[in-house]
């Protein structure tokens, strides 16, 4: 009987040099093997032990071992077929992307990647910082040589700004590769305008050539880019409002000679 100690059936090896070792339950005169259909010979350690270190290419391999006893008419025994793998290259991440490509804070965001390994994939996960800190998705099992990994971030965890997704992929010997990309999540929340105050506050005081000062409190969940005052002074006009302190913006204009002044309408443009 031949006992195969190495290689172990179904095992993945991260080195191209693989140690072959067999023992027998009786005295033998030689030990040999058929590796991927090619015959080779083992080195003698003792009458019941044979071994050899074999250098192999990356990929899947099959080996069967043989040994002859010392009977007057030699008998040859053989082992069962042993299949094993040599993997020395990290997985490949062929591409990464997200959907929707143009995402805002009200969308669910899916980050995905196409991955490949020449010998065999094991698992993957995706890391992201949508909540402000980096967290990992659950483990996504993989098999075979290629696959698609995908993780969806719920819109409840999204806010405007840059989000990083990073995919990690492992093969069956534990080699790992990773790739990250940034996603610009745009603002989908309208700014808020409150406390619009103007001086003079009475139409009785709006004589021709009077200076009208307008203040407004403007807030946004990201940041305010610009504030514009739209007013009618006989014709409609736009002027930029300046940030004077905190969230307060101010602008002024001079009433026309006709004394015509109907109303003030504040509008805002946000980034």
């Amino acid at each position: 009987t031949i006992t195969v100690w190495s290689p172990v059936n179904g095992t993945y090896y991260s080195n191209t040099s693989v140690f072959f070792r067999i023992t027998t339950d009786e005295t033998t005169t030689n030990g040999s093997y058929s590796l991927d259909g090619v015959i080779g010979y083992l080195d003698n350690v003792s009458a019941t032990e044979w071994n050899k270190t074999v250098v192999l290419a990356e990929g899947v391999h099959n080996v069967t071992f043989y040994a002859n006893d010392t009977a007057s008419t030699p008998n040859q025994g053989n082992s069962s077929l042993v299949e094993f793998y040599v993997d020395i290259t990290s997985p490949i991440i062929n591409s990464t992307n997200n959907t929707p490509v143009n995402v805002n804070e009200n969308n669910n965001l899916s980050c995905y990647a196409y991955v490949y390994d020449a010998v065999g994939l094991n698992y993957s996960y995706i890391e992201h910082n949508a909540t402000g800190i980096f967290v990992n998705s659950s483990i996504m099992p993989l098999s075979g040589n290629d696959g698609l990994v995908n993780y969806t971030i719920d819109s409840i965890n999204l806010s405007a700004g840059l989000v990083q997704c990073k995919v990690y992929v492992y093969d069956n010997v534990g080699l790992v590769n990773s790739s990250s990309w940034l996603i610009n999540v745009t603002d989908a929340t309208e700014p808020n305008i409150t406390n619009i105050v103007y001086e003079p506050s009475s139409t009785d005081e709006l004589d021709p050539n009077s200076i009208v000062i307008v203040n407004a409190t403007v807030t946004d969940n990201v940041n305010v880019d610009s504030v514009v005052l739209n007013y009618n002074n006989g014709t409609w006009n736009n002027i930029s409002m300046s940030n004077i302190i905190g969230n307060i913006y101010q602008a002024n204009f001079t009433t026309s000679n006709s004394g015509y002044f109907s109303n003030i309408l504040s509008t805002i443009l946000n980034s």
Side-chain angles (χ1 to χ4, degrees):
T1 302
I2 298 173
T3 301
V4 179
W5 297 94
S6 179
V8 177
N9 189 57
T11 298
Y12 288 80
Y13 294 90
S14 59
N15 196 306
T16 56
S17 296
V18 178
F19 186 60
F20 287 2
R21 176 175 177 256
I22 65 169
T23 58
T24 60
D25 61 351
E26 60 181 299
T27 300
T28 49
T29 58
N30 66 63
S32 60
Y33 58 86
S34 174
L35 174 64
D36 300 329
V38 178
I39 297 297
Y41 295 93
L42 300 169
D43 298 325
N44 180 239
V45 177
S46 71
T48 57
E49 181 176 353
W50 304 80
N51 67 30
K52 185 175 185 179
T53 297
V54 179
V55 178
L56 301 167
E58 186 174 53
V60 58
H61 298 280
N62 294 280
V63 62
T64 302
F65 292 94
Y66 305 93
N68 290 333
D69 63 20
T70 58
S72 56
T73 303
N75 298 305
Q76 185 181 69
N78 65 279
S79 70
S80 299
L81 181 71
V82 176
E83 183 175 86
F84 63 99
Y85 309 87
V86 173
D87 189 355
I88 59 173
T89 305
S90 296
I92 296 171
I93 300 172
N94 286 319
S95 64
T96 59
N97 211 332
N98 51 272
T99 184
V101 175
N102 298 314
V103 60
N104 67 54
E105 60 187 348
N106 292 333
N107 299 137
N108 292 335
L109 172 62
S110 292
C111 297
Y112 63 90
Y114 290 95
V115 297
Y116 171 82
D117 189 78
V119 180
L121 295 163
N122 191 350
Y123 68 92
S124 178
Y125 63 89
I126 291 178
E127 175 188 76
H128 70 86
N129 64 342
T131 59
I133 59 173
F134 282 98
V135 294
N136 296 334
S137 71
S138 58
I139 296 297
M140 293 173 273
L142 296 169
S143 61
N145 298 106
D146 51 35
L148 169 66
V149 294
N150 178 73
Y151 180 71
T152 299
I153 304 167
D154 194 281
S155 61
I156 196 171
N157 293 318
L158 281 183
S159 57
L162 289 177
V163 171
Q164 176 178 289
C165 281
K166 187 172 186 178
V167 59
Y168 295 83
V169 57
Y170 289 78
D171 64 18
N172 285 305
V173 297
L175 296 174
V176 61
N177 198 0
S178 65
S179 180
S180 64
W181 67 105
L182 292 174
I183 303 158
N184 183 32
V185 180
T186 58
D187 184 10
T189 304
E190 294 181 352
N192 188 36
I193 305 171
T194 59
N195 302 324
I196 300 174
V197 179
Y198 52 93
E199 278 295 330
S201 58
S202 168
T203 55
D204 293 339
E205 301 175 26
L206 289 176
D207 296 325
N209 300 314
S210 296
I211 296 176
V212 179
I213 300 173
V214 181
N215 289 332
T217 300
V218 183
T219 57
D220 188 68
N221 67 328
V222 180
N223 64 280
V224 175
D225 181 65
S226 62
V227 182
V228 176
L229 174 66
N230 177 229
Y231 67 94
N232 189 324
N233 198 17
T235 59
W236 285 103
N237 300 275
N238 294 325
I239 56 172
S240 295
M241 301 184 74
S242 301
N243 183 208
I244 58 173
I245 187 171
N247 296 319
I248 300 175
Y249 290 77
Q250 184 180 92
N252 65 76
F253 63 92
T254 303
T255 59
S256 66
N257 290 329
S258 66
Y260 176 79
F261 174 67
S262 62
N263 58 37
I264 297 170
L265 174 65
S266 296
T267 61
I268 180 172
L269 302 174
N270 71 302
S271 61

